[in-house]
Amino acid sequence: MDYKPFEISGAERSGPWVIACDHASNIVPPFVNGGTLDLPAGDMSRHIAYDVGAKGVSLALGALLNAPVICSNFSRLVIDPNRGEDDPTLLMKLYDGTIIPANRHADEVEKERRLDACYRPYHTALTDLLRPRHDAALLSLHSFTPQLAGRPKRPWHLGILHADDRRLCDPLLDQLQLDPSLCVGRNEPYGGHLPGDTVDRHAIAQGRHNTLVEIRNDLIQTDEQQAQWAARLAPVLQNALRIALENEA
């Protein structure tokens, strides 16, 4: 079967959003070390390999927002699509205390091979998806682990991440903080900008409205939880975008 490094759902949809799920999959393509990174199955099902639950939320949000959704089809440990090509964490050899055996001796030639086979086709497809949608906002959807090895537990249910462009993130945070049951962080559990990352490359560089939403992954383990969070987030995202556009009018 032919391998494709991305999946697009709802390409015909014409709503005011485009959704990107950079870390949707824990798949290792067959041309990378025979389809394995030599990690135990338990590690490949953890956050180090992909964003647990993020794909299901992205697809459900796409249906609710009438938005096309692009999902990666390769593990972030193969090559990380949410990094610039010159980022030192593009091809990880150690992540959250776990050595990635098949990456230990990956050299520049191997990195370039993975860029050509996985990373660049994904970003080309996202560029093509956005090109005719000049006014669409970019939603980058991720999930985070409740606790890194040896670190404190993370209290946030959601993190809204951004760089200097806060036009959409500020009203989104305002809307989310109306719900007293939510613990929401601004640029938590980590900062929201890396040069050359997906939002930088596909939104900030074009002046496009954007936000990166992180959901704690223990909250979106099941299909039901993913659907519930999508239903919870969809109206908030719509209201925030409406406010952002009104602020510019």
Side-chain angles (χ1 to χ4, degrees):
M1 184 172 67
D2 290 338
Y3 170 76
K4 194 171 184 179
F6 60 88
E7 299 173 1
I8 295 176
S9 300
E12 73 289 349
R13 294 173 183 155
S14 57
W17 297 88
V18 170
I19 300 171
C21 189
D22 295 329
H23 300 146
S25 173
N26 60 358
I27 286 173
V28 181
F31 51 81
V32 176
N33 195 48
T36 176
L37 296 173
D38 295 329
L39 282 170
D43 280 331
M44 289 304 296
S45 67
R46 295 199 298 125
H47 71 99
I48 63 171
Y50 75 123
D51 280 357
V52 177
K55 181 176 181 180
V57 178
S58 296
L59 294 174
L61 271 173
L64 292 169
L65 297 174
N66 190 32
V69 182
I70 183 168
C71 295
S72 67
N73 196 30
F74 52 93
S75 171
R76 66 191 303 165
L77 296 179
V78 171
I79 197 88
D80 194 330
N82 195 36
R83 298 290 187 273
E85 290 198 18
D86 58 352
D87 192 298
T89 64
L90 180 69
L91 199 163
M92 294 288 278
K93 302 187 179 186
L94 175 70
Y95 191 9
D96 195 20
T98 298
I99 293 171
I100 317 305
N103 289 352
R104 288 186 68 178
H105 304 294
D107 57 13
E108 288 299 312
V109 172
E110 176 62 12
K111 182 173 80 172
E112 190 69 20
R113 193 170 74 92
R114 297 185 194 184
L115 283 166
D116 279 342
C118 298
Y119 178 105
R120 289 171 181 147
Y122 172 78
H123 283 288
T124 297
L126 180 51
T127 296
D128 292 344
L129 201 56
L130 286 163
R131 185 178 292 114
R133 298 172 170 86
H134 306 292
D135 298 325
L138 177 63
L139 168 60
S140 182
L141 201 291
H142 293 256
S143 71
F144 64 93
T145 186
Q147 186 174 19
L148 290 172
R151 303 284 185 88
K153 289 186 177 180
R154 293 162 160 176
W156 308 280
H157 301 114
L158 289 171
I160 305 302
L161 278 53
H162 60 79
D164 292 336
D165 180 6
R166 298 162 49 168
R167 294 172 298 163
L168 178 54
C169 291
D170 279 353
L172 179 56
L173 278 159
D174 289 343
Q175 294 287 303
L176 289 166
Q177 287 164 351
L178 294 173
D179 185 342
S181 70
L182 284 179
C183 180
V184 184
R186 182 192 291 272
N187 282 334
E188 298 287 2
Y190 26 72
H193 178 65
L194 291 169
D197 67 11
T198 295
V199 169
D200 185 44
R201 179 172 181 165
H202 295 283
I204 294 173
Q206 291 82 23
R208 186 185 294 275
H209 283 287
N210 64 86
T211 188
L212 192 156
V213 175
E214 290 267 4
I215 308 172
R216 205 176 69 208
N217 69 25
D218 61 321
L219 304 174
I220 50 172
Q221 298 282 331
T222 68
D223 292 347
E224 183 180 8
Q225 289 174 320
Q226 293 158 20
Q228 288 171 347
W229 273 94
R232 190 174 191 177
L233 287 173
V236 180
L237 287 161
Q238 292 285 56
N239 284 337
L241 183 56
R242 175 182 54 78
I243 293 167
L245 294 171
E246 287 175 354
N247 288 342
E248 292 188 340

